[in-house]
Amino acid sequence: MKVSLNQKILSRNDDFAAKNKAYFRRRGILCLNFISSPGSGKTTVIARTIGALKGKLNIAVIEGDIKTDTDAQKIRAAGAEAVQIETHGACHLSAEQVANALTLLNSADAKVIIIENVGNLVCPSAFDLGEHRRVVVLSVPEGDDKPVKYPGTFAEADVVLINKIDLMDYLDFNLERVLADIRAVNPDAVILQISASTGEGMQAWYDWLTKNAGAE
Amino acid sequence: MHETAVAESILQTICDYAAKMNARPVRAVVSCGQFNALNDEVMRFAFEAAAESTVAQGMDLQIRHIPLRAACKACRISFEFDIYDPVCPSCKSMEFEFEPDAPLLLEDIEFEDPNEGIAESKDPEPQ
Protein backbone atom coordinates (compact mmCIF):
# COMPACT_ATOMS: atom_id res chain seq x y z
CA MET A 1 0.00 0.00 0.00
CA LYS A 2 1.52 3.26 -1.15
CA VAL A 3 0.91 6.70 0.35
CA SER A 4 1.68 9.61 -1.98
CA LEU A 5 2.97 12.66 -0.14
CA ASN A 6 5.12 14.90 -2.37
CA GLN A 7 6.03 16.71 0.82
CA LYS A 8 8.93 19.14 1.12
CA ILE A 9 11.56 17.36 3.17
CA LEU A 10 12.97 20.16 5.27
CA SER A 11 9.46 21.48 5.94
CA ARG A 12 10.11 21.92 9.67
CA ASN A 13 13.09 24.12 8.82
CA ASP A 14 11.01 25.93 6.19
CA ASP A 15 8.28 26.65 8.78
CA PHE A 16 10.82 28.39 11.03
CA ALA A 17 12.32 30.17 8.00
CA ALA A 18 8.87 31.56 7.16
CA LYS A 19 8.47 32.79 10.77
CA ASN A 20 11.88 34.47 10.61
CA LYS A 21 10.98 36.09 7.32
CA ALA A 22 7.75 37.45 8.85
CA TYR A 23 9.78 38.83 11.78
CA PHE A 24 12.10 40.67 9.38
CA ARG A 25 9.19 41.99 7.33
CA ARG A 26 7.35 43.38 10.38
CA ARG A 27 10.44 45.29 11.40
CA GLY A 28 11.61 46.36 7.93
CA ILE A 29 14.88 44.48 8.35
CA LEU A 30 17.12 43.21 5.54
CA CYS A 31 18.56 39.81 6.51
CA LEU A 32 21.71 38.40 4.90
CA ASN A 33 23.03 34.84 5.25
CA PHE A 34 26.85 34.78 4.93
CA ILE A 35 28.25 31.44 3.73
CA SER A 36 31.89 30.48 3.06
CA SER A 37 34.74 28.12 3.91
CA PRO A 38 36.42 28.59 7.29
CA GLY A 39 39.01 31.36 7.09
CA SER A 40 37.61 33.26 4.11
CA GLY A 41 37.37 36.44 6.18
CA LYS A 42 33.60 36.61 6.73
CA THR A 43 33.97 38.06 10.21
CA THR A 44 36.51 40.65 9.05
CA VAL A 45 34.23 41.71 6.17
CA ILE A 46 31.30 42.10 8.58
CA ALA A 47 33.35 43.93 11.24
CA ARG A 48 34.77 46.40 8.70
CA THR A 49 31.28 46.97 7.26
CA ILE A 50 29.91 47.76 10.72
CA GLY A 51 32.68 50.31 11.30
CA ALA A 52 32.32 51.96 7.89
CA LEU A 53 28.53 52.31 8.09
CA LYS A 54 28.34 53.35 11.77
CA GLY A 55 25.72 56.08 12.14
CA LYS A 56 24.29 55.36 8.68
CA LEU A 57 23.09 51.77 8.93
CA ASN A 58 22.39 49.90 12.15
CA ILE A 59 23.62 46.32 11.79
CA ALA A 60 23.16 43.41 14.21
CA VAL A 61 24.86 40.04 13.79
CA ILE A 62 24.00 36.42 14.56
CA GLU A 63 27.18 34.34 14.69
CA GLY A 64 27.18 30.61 14.01
CA ASP A 65 30.16 28.53 15.05
CA ILE A 66 30.71 24.97 16.16
CA LYS A 67 32.37 26.26 19.35
CA THR A 68 33.49 29.54 21.02
CA ASP A 69 32.14 33.08 20.92
CA THR A 70 35.33 34.71 19.59
CA ASP A 71 33.54 35.92 16.43
CA ALA A 72 30.77 37.54 18.46
CA GLN A 73 33.43 39.30 20.54
CA LYS A 74 35.05 40.69 17.36
CA ILE A 75 31.67 41.99 16.18
CA ARG A 76 30.98 43.64 19.56
CA ALA A 77 34.45 45.23 19.46
CA ALA A 78 33.51 46.67 16.05
CA GLY A 79 30.51 48.33 17.69
CA ALA A 80 27.50 46.15 16.89
CA GLU A 81 25.29 43.80 18.86
CA ALA A 82 26.04 40.11 18.32
CA VAL A 83 24.36 36.88 19.44
CA GLN A 84 26.48 33.74 19.29
CA ILE A 85 25.03 30.34 18.39
CA GLU A 86 27.28 27.39 19.24
CA THR A 87 26.19 24.37 17.17
CA HIS A 88 28.36 21.84 19.08
CA GLY A 89 29.34 19.92 15.99
CA ALA A 90 26.55 20.70 13.53
CA CYS A 91 28.00 21.92 10.24
CA HIS A 92 25.28 24.46 9.42
CA LEU A 93 22.72 26.73 11.07
CA SER A 94 19.03 25.86 11.06
CA ALA A 95 16.14 28.31 10.87
CA GLU A 96 15.04 27.21 14.36
CA GLN A 97 18.40 28.21 15.85
CA VAL A 98 18.11 31.60 14.15
CA ALA A 99 14.55 32.02 15.49
CA ASN A 100 15.87 31.42 19.03
CA ALA A 101 18.75 33.85 18.49
CA LEU A 102 16.34 36.55 17.30
CA THR A 103 14.62 36.49 20.71
CA LEU A 104 17.98 37.40 22.31
CA LEU A 105 18.64 40.46 20.14
CA ASN A 106 18.06 43.84 21.76
CA SER A 107 18.74 46.14 18.79
CA ALA A 108 15.21 47.38 18.26
CA ASP A 109 16.37 49.75 15.53
CA ALA A 110 18.55 47.32 13.52
CA LYS A 111 17.98 47.76 9.78
CA VAL A 112 20.21 44.87 8.77
CA ILE A 113 20.72 41.49 10.44
CA ILE A 114 23.69 39.53 9.18
CA ILE A 115 23.77 35.79 9.95
CA GLU A 116 27.32 34.48 9.75
CA ASN A 117 26.86 30.78 9.06
CA VAL A 118 29.21 28.00 10.19
CA GLY A 119 32.32 27.91 7.96
CA ASN A 120 31.44 25.24 5.39
CA LEU A 121 30.97 25.48 1.63
CA VAL A 122 28.54 22.55 1.34
CA CYS A 123 25.88 22.08 4.02
CA PRO A 124 24.65 25.59 4.92
CA SER A 125 23.28 26.17 1.43
CA ALA A 126 20.60 23.49 1.91
CA PHE A 127 18.96 25.41 4.80
CA ASP A 128 16.78 28.46 4.24
CA LEU A 129 17.10 30.66 7.35
CA GLY A 130 14.46 33.13 6.19
CA GLU A 131 17.08 35.51 4.79
CA HIS A 132 16.40 37.91 1.91
CA ARG A 133 19.81 37.57 0.30
CA ARG A 134 22.56 35.00 0.42
CA VAL A 135 26.16 36.24 0.37
CA VAL A 136 28.95 33.77 -0.44
CA VAL A 137 32.51 34.82 0.40
CA LEU A 138 35.39 33.26 -1.54
CA SER A 139 38.92 34.29 -0.60
CA VAL A 140 41.86 34.27 -2.99
CA PRO A 141 44.09 31.91 -0.92
CA GLU A 142 41.42 29.18 -1.08
CA GLY A 143 42.17 28.79 -4.78
CA ASP A 144 40.37 29.47 -8.04
CA ASP A 145 38.81 25.99 -8.24
CA LYS A 146 36.21 26.52 -5.49
CA PRO A 147 33.23 27.54 -7.67
CA VAL A 148 33.68 24.49 -9.91
CA LYS A 149 34.15 22.17 -6.91
CA TYR A 150 31.22 23.53 -4.87
CA PRO A 151 28.79 24.68 -7.58
CA GLY A 152 25.64 24.19 -5.48
CA THR A 153 26.62 26.88 -3.00
CA PHE A 154 27.57 29.38 -5.70
CA ALA A 155 24.39 28.60 -7.67
CA GLU A 156 22.27 29.83 -4.75
CA ALA A 157 24.18 33.06 -4.03
CA ASP A 158 22.77 36.54 -4.61
CA VAL A 159 26.15 38.15 -3.99
CA VAL A 160 29.64 36.65 -4.23
CA LEU A 161 32.38 38.60 -2.47
CA ILE A 162 35.84 37.67 -3.73
CA ASN A 163 37.90 38.62 -0.68
CA LYS A 164 41.66 39.13 -0.06
CA ILE A 165 42.24 40.46 -3.60
CA ASP A 166 45.33 42.23 -2.21
CA LEU A 167 46.94 38.76 -2.26
CA MET A 168 46.15 38.10 -5.93
CA ASP A 169 49.65 39.15 -7.12
CA TYR A 170 51.33 36.64 -4.80
CA LEU A 171 49.17 33.60 -5.52
CA ASP A 172 48.24 31.55 -8.55
CA PHE A 173 44.60 32.66 -8.83
CA ASN A 174 42.91 32.85 -12.21
CA LEU A 175 40.19 35.49 -11.71
CA GLU A 176 38.75 35.04 -15.21
CA ARG A 177 38.23 31.34 -14.52
CA VAL A 178 36.49 32.07 -11.20
CA LEU A 179 34.15 34.60 -12.79
CA ALA A 180 33.28 32.20 -15.66
CA ASP A 181 32.67 29.28 -13.27
CA ILE A 182 30.36 31.35 -11.06
CA ARG A 183 28.47 32.75 -14.08
CA ALA A 184 28.03 29.22 -15.48
CA VAL A 185 25.87 28.13 -12.53
CA ASN A 186 24.55 31.58 -11.56
CA PRO A 187 24.14 34.18 -14.31
CA ASP A 188 22.45 36.71 -12.01
CA ALA A 189 24.83 36.89 -9.01
CA VAL A 190 26.39 40.24 -8.12
CA ILE A 191 30.15 39.59 -7.97
CA LEU A 192 32.35 42.08 -6.11
CA GLN A 193 36.11 42.01 -5.60
CA ILE A 194 37.17 43.24 -2.18
CA SER A 195 39.87 43.24 0.44
CA ALA A 196 38.42 43.51 3.93
CA SER A 197 41.89 44.15 5.37
CA THR A 198 43.00 46.99 3.02
CA GLY A 199 39.49 48.26 2.25
CA GLU A 200 39.97 47.99 -1.50
CA GLY A 201 36.68 47.51 -3.35
CA MET A 202 34.64 47.71 -0.13
CA GLN A 203 32.76 50.87 -1.20
CA ALA A 204 30.87 48.95 -3.92
CA TRP A 205 29.79 46.44 -1.24
CA TYR A 206 28.66 49.21 1.14
CA ASP A 207 26.69 50.77 -1.73
CA TRP A 208 24.99 47.46 -2.53
CA LEU A 209 24.16 46.91 1.16
CA THR A 210 22.84 50.43 1.74
CA LYS A 211 20.69 50.31 -1.40
CA ASN A 212 19.24 46.89 -0.55
CA ALA A 213 18.62 47.79 3.10
CA GLY A 214 16.53 50.73 1.95
CA ALA A 215 14.51 48.56 -0.38
CA GLU A 216 13.31 46.07 2.25
CA MET B 1 26.57 16.30 5.30
CA HIS B 2 23.17 17.97 5.08
CA GLU B 3 22.05 14.40 4.35
CA THR B 4 21.91 13.84 8.15
CA ALA B 5 19.27 16.53 8.59
CA VAL B 6 17.40 15.29 5.53
CA ALA B 7 17.46 11.73 6.92
CA GLU B 8 16.07 12.84 10.29
CA SER B 9 13.36 14.86 8.62
CA ILE B 10 12.26 11.95 6.40
CA LEU B 11 12.39 9.50 9.30
CA GLN B 12 10.14 11.73 11.42
CA THR B 13 7.49 11.83 8.68
CA ILE B 14 7.73 8.08 8.02
CA CYS B 15 7.37 7.22 11.72
CA ASP B 16 4.40 9.58 12.07
CA TYR B 17 2.61 7.91 9.16
CA ALA B 18 3.54 4.41 10.31
CA ALA B 19 1.95 5.11 13.71
CA LYS B 20 -1.13 6.67 12.11
CA MET B 21 -1.62 3.73 9.75
CA ASN B 22 -0.42 1.08 12.17
CA ALA B 23 1.68 -0.48 9.38
CA ARG B 24 5.33 -1.21 8.76
CA PRO B 25 7.01 1.00 6.13
CA VAL B 26 9.01 -0.95 3.54
CA ARG B 27 10.05 1.62 0.94
CA ALA B 28 10.22 5.40 0.49
CA VAL B 29 11.06 7.49 -2.54
CA VAL B 30 12.89 10.79 -2.21
CA SER B 31 13.61 13.15 -5.10
CA CYS B 32 16.05 16.02 -5.44
CA GLY B 33 17.24 18.47 -8.06
CA GLN B 34 20.74 19.38 -9.19
CA PHE B 35 21.51 22.32 -6.92
CA ASN B 36 20.17 20.54 -3.81
CA ALA B 37 21.44 17.12 -4.89
CA LEU B 38 21.85 14.36 -2.35
CA ASN B 39 24.80 12.00 -2.38
CA ASP B 40 23.17 8.55 -2.61
CA GLU B 41 25.72 6.70 -0.53
CA VAL B 42 25.83 9.30 2.27
CA MET B 43 22.05 9.61 2.22
CA ARG B 44 21.48 5.85 2.59
CA PHE B 45 24.08 5.62 5.35
CA ALA B 46 22.58 8.57 7.24
CA PHE B 47 19.07 7.15 6.93
CA GLU B 48 20.13 3.68 8.00
CA ALA B 49 21.82 5.13 11.08
CA ALA B 50 18.85 7.34 11.96
CA ALA B 51 16.32 4.51 11.42
CA GLU B 52 18.04 2.06 13.74
CA SER B 53 15.68 0.78 16.48
CA THR B 54 12.68 2.48 14.88
CA VAL B 55 9.81 1.04 12.83
CA ALA B 56 11.72 2.20 9.72
CA GLN B 57 14.76 0.03 10.40
CA GLY B 58 15.79 -1.96 7.33
CA MET B 59 13.42 -0.22 4.93
CA ASP B 60 14.48 0.62 1.40
CA LEU B 61 15.20 4.26 0.50
CA GLN B 62 15.20 5.23 -3.17
CA ILE B 63 16.63 8.53 -4.40
CA ARG B 64 15.49 10.03 -7.70
CA HIS B 65 17.63 12.74 -9.26
CA ILE B 66 15.46 15.08 -11.32
CA PRO B 67 17.37 16.60 -14.25
CA LEU B 68 17.70 20.38 -14.53
CA ARG B 69 17.01 21.86 -17.98
CA ALA B 70 19.24 24.69 -19.12
CA ALA B 71 19.40 26.72 -22.33
CA CYS B 72 22.74 27.82 -23.74
CA LYS B 73 22.81 31.60 -24.20
CA ALA B 74 25.21 31.31 -27.13
CA CYS B 75 23.68 28.60 -29.36
CA ARG B 76 20.21 28.39 -27.70
CA ILE B 77 20.31 24.60 -27.43
CA SER B 78 18.31 23.18 -24.50
CA PHE B 79 19.91 20.33 -22.58
CA GLU B 80 20.12 18.45 -19.26
CA PHE B 81 22.51 20.43 -17.09
CA ASP B 82 25.19 18.66 -15.07
CA ILE B 83 26.28 20.91 -12.23
CA TYR B 84 29.66 19.17 -12.12
CA ASP B 85 30.29 19.68 -15.84
CA PRO B 86 28.77 23.09 -16.64
CA VAL B 87 29.62 23.31 -20.35
CA CYS B 88 27.25 23.47 -23.33
CA PRO B 89 27.39 20.03 -25.01
CA SER B 90 27.07 21.69 -28.43
CA CYS B 91 29.18 24.87 -28.50
CA LYS B 92 31.16 24.58 -25.18
CA SER B 93 29.89 27.98 -23.99
CA MET B 94 29.46 28.43 -20.22
CA GLU B 95 26.56 30.89 -20.10
CA PHE B 96 23.10 29.51 -19.48
CA GLU B 97 19.53 30.24 -18.53
CA PHE B 98 17.98 27.77 -16.09
CA GLU B 99 14.55 26.28 -15.64
CA PRO B 100 13.56 26.04 -11.93
CA ASP B 101 15.43 23.28 -10.07
CA ALA B 102 13.39 20.47 -8.50
CA PRO B 103 12.80 20.75 -4.72
CA LEU B 104 13.79 18.14 -2.12
CA LEU B 105 10.68 15.99 -1.83
CA LEU B 106 9.49 12.92 0.03
CA GLU B 107 7.39 11.54 -2.83
CA ASP B 108 5.77 8.48 -1.31
CA ILE B 109 6.00 5.81 1.37
CA GLU B 110 5.03 2.19 0.79
CA PHE B 111 3.67 0.16 3.70
CA GLU B 112 3.07 -3.51 4.27
CA ASP B 113 -0.60 -4.31 4.05
CA PRO B 114 -1.82 -3.97 7.69
CA ASN B 115 -4.11 -7.03 7.19
CA GLU B 116 -1.08 -9.19 6.57
CA GLY B 117 0.38 -8.27 9.93
CA ILE B 118 3.98 -7.41 10.63
CA ALA B 119 5.15 -10.99 11.17
CA GLU B 120 3.74 -12.29 7.88
CA SER B 121 5.74 -13.24 4.81
CA LYS B 122 7.32 -10.37 2.89
CA ASP B 123 6.28 -11.89 -0.43
CA PRO B 124 3.00 -10.19 -1.43
CA GLU B 125 2.26 -12.73 -4.23
CA PRO B 126 0.29 -15.85 -3.19
CA GLN B 127 2.05 -19.08 -4.11
Side-chain angles (χ1 to χ4, degrees):
Chain A
M1 177 189 18
K2 195 187 274 185
V3 178
S4 286
L5 296 171
N6 287 322
Q7 184 185 83
K8 281 205 170 176
I9 285 176
L10 297 170
S11 56
R12 185 178 154 80
N13 185 73
D14 291 344
D15 290 346
F16 277 101
K19 277 184 201 154
N20 294 346
K21 195 159 266 174
Y23 173 101
F24 300 134
R25 194 184 310 120
R26 278 199 303 279
R27 291 167 175 76
I29 291 168
L30 171 74
C31 178
L32 306 177
N33 181 2
F34 265 58
I35 296 175
S36 81
S37 314
S40 70
K42 286 190 297 301
T43 313
T44 308
V45 172
I46 297 166
R48 186 157 190 143
T49 304
I50 289 162
L53 298 181
K54 194 166 282 177
K56 290 180 216 153
L57 196 60
N58 196 331
I59 301 173
V61 180
I62 295 172
E63 283 288 342
D65 280 290
I66 286 177
K67 195 85 181 74
T68 79
D69 69 342
T70 54
D71 282 1
Q73 289 174 28
K74 285 181 198 164
I75 296 300
R76 289 178 199 127
E81 189 186 0
V83 173
Q84 180 76 48
I85 302 171
E86 283 183 279
T87 66
H88 300 290
C91 52
H92 61 87
L93 288 179
S94 71
E96 184 173 4
Q97 288 170 318
V98 170
N100 292 337
L102 287 173
T103 65
L104 302 174
L105 274 182
N106 295 319
S107 298
D109 50 352
K111 281 287 152 220
V112 174
I113 290 181
I114 296 178
I115 303 167
E116 183 179 343
N117 220 309
V118 179
N120 180 325
L121 219 40
V122 185
C123 310
S125 68
F127 298 86
D128 181 6
L129 304 180
E131 75 269 20
H132 299 99
R133 303 279 188 277
R134 204 167 271 199
V135 180
V136 173
V137 182
L138 165 67
S139 67
V140 168
E142 291 167 57
D144 54 17
D145 57 356
K146 290 299 166 290
V148 80
K149 279 188 175 171
Y150 302 92
T153 295
F154 287 91
E156 310 262 326
D158 296 294
V159 179
V160 177
L161 298 177
I162 301 178
N163 190 26
K164 309 188 189 178
I165 53 164
D166 51 312
L167 300 178
M168 199 115 60
D169 293 341
Y170 308 102
L171 297 164
D172 189 15
F173 187 86
N174 184 340
L175 181 64
E176 292 307 312
R177 176 191 172 181
V178 167
L179 296 176
D181 287 342
I182 296 169
R183 290 263 170 260
V185 294
N186 190 339
D188 303 320
V190 173
I191 306 175
L192 301 173
Q193 299 168 41
I194 61 166
S195 168
S197 64
T198 69
E200 190 183 349
M202 290 293 280
Q203 190 57 50
W205 158 244
Y206 302 149
D207 291 346
W208 180 92
L209 183 57
T210 309
K211 182 169 157 255
N212 280 269
E216 290 304 330
Chain B
M1 265 284 276
H2 63 287
E3 282 84 356
T4 314
V6 172
E8 280 162 10
S9 175
I10 298 169
L11 182 68
Q12 185 66 54
T13 308
I14 292 172
C15 290
D16 288 351
Y17 272 89
K20 211 184 316 179
M21 302 182 60
N22 193 26
R24 196 174 76 92
V26 288
R27 188 173 301 110
V29 181
V30 166
S31 64
C32 60
Q34 278 275 313
F35 292 155
N36 56 18
L38 298 169
N39 177 293
D40 291 15
E41 228 171 86
V42 177
M43 187 61 225
R44 289 216 175 81
F45 178 79
F47 183 75
E48 213 172 282
E52 209 177 293
S53 312
T54 73
V55 68
Q57 182 166 347
M59 71 181 283
D60 178 30
L61 185 69
Q62 294 180 358
I63 301 150
R64 292 209 308 134
H65 293 264
I66 313 287
L68 170 65
R69 303 286 313 174
C72 172
K73 279 188 184 170
C75 73
R76 303 311 305 174
I77 192 181
S78 166
F79 64 102
E80 275 185 18
F81 186 77
D82 176 359
I83 196 170
Y84 295 108
D85 186 18
V87 173
C88 171
S90 168
C91 75
K92 308 296 173 201
S93 157
M94 286 178 67
E95 289 188 49
F96 315 105
E97 279 164 20
F98 296 104
E99 303 264 326
D101 196 27
L104 265 178
L105 284 185
L106 176 54
E107 292 195 346
D108 49 61
I109 312 169
E110 210 172 314
F111 293 92
E112 265 183 357
D113 192 330
N115 299 328
E116 285 179 16
I118 286 168
E120 298 254 338
S121 158
K122 281 182 183 170
D123 184 359
E125 298 295 326
Q127 296 299 309

